[in-house]
Amino acid sequence: MRLSYHLITTLLIVAVLTGCKTKKTEENKSEVKMENDVKGTFGYDLELLKDHKKVIVLKSKDGMAQVAVCPEYQGRIMTSTAEGTGGYSFGWLNHELIKSGEVLEHFNPIGGEERFWLGPEGGQFSIFFKPESSFDFANWYVPKEIDTESFNTINTTESEVSFEKDMALVNYSNTKFDLSVKRTVRLLDRGQVSDNLNAAISDELKLVGFESENTITNKGENAWTKESGMLSVWILSMLNPSPETTVVVPFKTGDESELGKIVTDDYFGKVPSDRLVVKDGVILFKADGKKRGKIGVSPKRALPILGSYDAQNEVLTVAQFTLKENAMDYVNSMWEIQDHPFVGDAVNSYNDGPLEDGEQMGPFYEIESSSPAAALQSGESLTHTHRTYHFKGNKSELSSLAVSLFGVDLATITTGI
């Protein structure tokens, strides 16, 4: 049976077009694969995570702002980007530990841009040390509920995911805590970011913004008190350091006799002056991942905002969190029996570095916020919200934003230490 000339021509055209489309599709796939093969990009980290765990990705309509969340890692925000899969990955991940699937005894430092923990870490009301144990690393264990156990996913949309988890914990003083946790992670759009910060955000700046809303509820029969111990919500962000990264912590100025010292700088030995500077209402702390140190600011001095600037990668990071007015009881996490177990910090920052034996967990640095100590009667709840924003783009616009939020420009931040 002969085919007509027109039919043959049509079939040839379809074949050519199909071939072009297939070639284009393969080229697109190849481009995506190349992006995902580049270490340091969001796509690389996302593929790594997907190879080992379930990942929920919250994504803006244009696909540029993305956030990767893992239910099996306690609803942890693993990392984010402001520039799509080929963009810079903001969260620090422990690639080798994730790939190994190994479960460590004391703590599993898989990384993650924002994780849910509970305080206090040290002292007579610690949930990281068993009763009567000494306060040293050999006896320090992160509770499995906030280290290795999954959170249950209860709701997911394109821009939001919610989790819940029931926990039963015992502190150093042998007080039992029955509680439930609800954690909701939300991707924020440009308008929400601007409203939350009460600042104009230039269209020249690329951004990703997200928040976690964390609620703990006392499900036990007894109240949580100063006599038996109280818990607190503790949010920690593990971020990628660079030789030119500086943490910026604004604080309330005023006399020490009224507000106390400006900064606690001796968690792991005193932070040297070439790595920590206090000036003009801000604390500047070097975050290069090369020397271990931690700082903290009390609720009397803290403001509900802090951040960092990475001059090497031109990234301005801002953290904003719940800071309840007149709430002064914060858990103390020092590794010792404490005279004042509820005189702790509302804000912390940690810079990773080698231990005495030369080993190092990271490198990374952390920005942290805490809720007040939760003095909850049976059935009562406490909610702590922590927001993170990353901005990239025009340095002049970044500097203007830093001034409006922190009171200092980029030049002051980068040359301050």
Side-chain angles (χ1 to χ4, degrees), residues 341-416:
F342 297 101
V343 183
D345 294 323
V347 174
N348 292 100
S349 180
Y350 170 78
N351 185 55
D352 190 42
L355 300 172
E356 292 181 0
D357 61 4
E359 291 189 6
Q360 185 169 357
M361 191 185 306
F364 59 86
Y365 73 99
E366 289 183 322
I367 289 174
E368 310 170 13
S369 74
S370 293
S371 76
L376 301 179
Q377 298 291 324
S378 178
E380 289 185 337
S381 301
L382 175 147
T383 298
H384 182 73
T385 300
H386 186 105
R387 299 181 180 126
T388 303
Y389 316 101
H390 299 292
F391 303 92
K392 283 178 66 69
N394 182 281
K395 286 183 69 175
S396 176
E397 296 290 351
L398 289 176
S399 190
S400 295
L401 186 57
V403 171
S404 68
L405 299 177
F406 302 139
V408 288
D409 59 17
L410 296 187
T412 301
I413 295 170
T414 54
T415 62

Side-chain angles (χ1 to χ4, degrees), residues 125 171 173 175 177 223-231 342 374:
F125 300 129
N171 73 9
S173 296
T175 299
F177 297 92
W224 300 353
T225 68
K226 284 186 174 182
E227 289 69 36
S228 56
M230 295 185 281
L231 302 177
F342 297 101

Side-chain angles (χ1 to χ4, degrees), residues 103-125:
V103 177
L104 305 179
E105 183 181 10
H106 292 270
F107 169 45
N108 289 269
I110 56 168
E113 189 171 350
E114 200 249 58
R115 72 182 186 272
F116 172 90
W117 263 18
L118 293 165
E121 183 180 2
Q124 55 266 47
F125 300 129

